[in-house]
Amino acid sequence: MSLHSTRGANYWSRLPVTRMDLTIGAYEKISSADVPGFTQSLVAAMPGLRDHRCSIGEPGGFIVRLKRGTYCAHVVEHVALELQGMIGHDVGYGRTRGGDSVGDYTLIFEHRHEAVGLRAAALALETVQDAFAGTLESVDHAVAELRALGETSELPPLIQHILCGITGGSHRSETRDELVRLGFNSRELIVDVSPSYILQAGLPYSHSDIAVILDSNLTDVPDYYRVRRRADRLVTVVADAVAEGGLVIVPAKSWEIQDLVRDAGCRVAIFATDDDVTSKDKKVARASATVEGRRILIEEFDKSFEAGWVHDKAPVDAQVAATLAAFTLNELQPAGDMSGYERENGDRSATHSGDRAGVAD
């Protein structure tokens, strides 16, 4: 068993969650319906389980699942939630998914207090094991322990607001450095966050003005999360911190990532290290940045202009993504607050504002 706690938006939810990676061994072959008295002992110790809806979608749904027969890991998820509820923590979100090997599961459930969530996971597993063994009589000791933990100090709060979050399998720090070179200095928070950090702890901030996803070719996470659809989901967690209608910069032709970003309520801008942008990209992109020769070109709506030149001191994808990010951030800044990028390239947003008046985008 391994335990992790996330504080910000994460692979599974925008809520803080506790994650338990669990191998259940012999319990894989036993369901809740196979053990006489299992459901009765759980409900007697935790009457609140009667209110759990589960996949059936109404109060009592989880009890129905228990009586029909459900697996150990799923029961642990519900018990962990109920133990927290018994100390007054209003939590309800949870998921259990099978792993690549038989008997391997990942459980995630919401928490209000990190230490309580982590301890609730271990206590839930003990409780379920006792119920299977026919020795469960009470969870009073578990509730008392969690209540005491709940009265301890929480960790310092997350950074509340940053300008830009950057993730991807490579060139994150180079993209951040390019943004600094373009005029966004140390006073303005730009965070590059690795996919492995997102997986283990969630985002280290609550909100960002924009986000940049460089790619989903991941090398720092387990093989299970390198599968394309899971890798795409993992990197798009940064979109969960962007306000609805905000902008996320993604690679051209990464259509699954583009769809996930839009599903998160954000708009899309795309970048390419050449001039090969497809009509499918243009259909959803608010803006794009491409390279022709050594020129970086930005296209926004029906306007196109030169935004800089490719140099030899940083990867091309980092330069193009950072240039588009700088352009976007400058458009978001209050009038009169000019960055180094605007001083170098001119205030392009001022040129376009009249053209865009009255356009619903």
Side-chain angles (χ1 to χ4, degrees):
M1 179 183 74
S2 63
L3 292 172
H4 305 276
S5 184
T6 71
R7 303 178 62 204
N10 54 81
Y11 180 84
W12 299 272
S13 172
R14 295 186 180 187
L15 301 168
V17 297
T18 299
R19 167 183 150 209
M20 172 191 282
D21 294 320
L22 181 65
T23 300
I24 64 174
Y27 289 105
E28 176 69 14
K29 299 180 180 180
I30 306 172
S31 84
S32 56
D34 295 331
V35 180
F38 178 85
T39 298
Q40 291 88 336
S41 65
L42 272 181
V43 175
M46 291 171 287
L49 289 173
R50 294 191 183 98
D51 297 325
H52 288 216
R53 295 172 175 268
C54 200
S55 57
I56 291 176
E58 58 185 61
F62 179 57
I63 304 302
V64 173
R65 292 288 305 275
L66 286 172
K67 291 178 178 179
R68 290 175 178 172
T70 190
Y71 49 100
C72 173
H74 179 218
V75 181
V76 173
E77 170 208 323
H78 278 269
V79 171
L81 287 168
E82 182 58 25
L83 286 172
Q84 294 179 86
M86 292 174 77
I87 66 168
H89 289 196
D90 184 15
V91 293
Y93 178 80
R95 292 290 185 273
T96 301
R97 296 291 182 264
D100 285 336
S101 301
V102 175
D104 289 349
Y105 292 90
T106 293
L107 294 66
I108 62 100
F109 56 84
E110 182 184 0
H111 65 248
R112 287 286 178 266
H113 188 292
E114 186 170 322
V116 169
L118 290 169
R119 186 57 182 150
L123 290 170
L125 179 58
E126 293 176 11
T127 299
V128 173
Q129 288 174 325
D130 288 345
F132 273 119
T135 59
L136 178 64
E137 296 182 357
S138 169
V139 294
D140 290 348
H141 66 289
V143 172
E145 183 177 345
L146 293 178
R147 181 171 286 114
L149 275 176
E151 293 173 355
T152 62
S153 298
E154 274 278 38
L155 293 173
L158 293 171
I159 299 170
Q160 289 302 302
H161 180 260
I162 66 170
L163 285 181
C164 179
I166 303 168
T167 196
S170 60
H171 301 158
R172 296 184 306 273
S173 61
E174 292 89 342
T175 304
R176 185 187 185 284
D177 291 345
E178 280 296 298
L179 271 168
V180 172
R181 186 183 68 81
L182 290 170
F184 294 90
N185 57 41
S186 59
R187 294 174 300 171
E188 300 161 314
L189 285 173
I190 302 165
V191 176
D192 75 82
V193 54
S194 69
S196 62
Y197 186 94
I198 296 174
L199 182 62
Q200 299 296 338
L203 294 180
Y205 54 85
S206 298
H207 306 286
S208 66
D209 288 346
I210 68 169
V212 176
I213 299 170
L214 293 165
D215 60 57
S216 60
N217 301 317
L218 310 185
T219 60
D220 63 344
V221 297
D223 290 345
Y224 181 83
Y225 295 100
R226 297 183 194 182
V227 175
R228 178 59 57 203
R229 62 185 175 84
R230 298 184 186 118
D232 289 345
R233 168 60 192 132
L234 183 56
V235 296
T236 54
V237 168
V238 293
D240 291 337
V242 178
E244 185 173 356
L247 203 69
V248 179
I249 295 167
V250 305
K253 300 181 183 177
S254 294
W255 298 305
E256 181 64 25
I257 294 177
Q258 294 175 17
D259 288 344
L260 289 168
V261 166
R262 296 173 68 213
D263 288 345
C266 298
R267 295 177 294 171
V268 171
I270 60 172
F271 72 93
T273 56
D274 51 25
D275 60 355
D276 185 14
V277 175
T278 69
S279 58
K280 187 173 181 179
D281 291 311
K282 291 181 178 180
K283 184 177 180 180
V284 300
R286 180 187 186 278
S288 64
T290 57
V291 177
E292 291 186 9
R294 296 186 65 84
R295 297 182 304 161
I296 300 176
L297 303 179
I298 288 181
E299 182 177 336
E300 183 186 38
F301 303 114
D302 59 347
K303 303 291 185 180
S304 180
F305 54 87
E306 184 179 303
W309 292 81
V310 173
H311 58 78
D312 298 325
K313 296 180 180 179
V316 176
D317 60 343
Q319 296 180 56
V320 181
T323 299
L324 184 53
F327 169 78
T328 303
L329 287 168
N330 282 320
E331 286 206 319
L332 296 175
Q333 285 185 343
D337 189 3
M338 185 176 290
S339 73
Y341 173 86
E342 286 182 316
R343 289 190 290 272
E344 180 178 338
N345 295 282
D347 184 359
R348 306 289 186 177
S349 62
T351 302
H352 290 179
S353 60
D355 296 327
R356 294 205 317 274
V359 176
D361 56 0

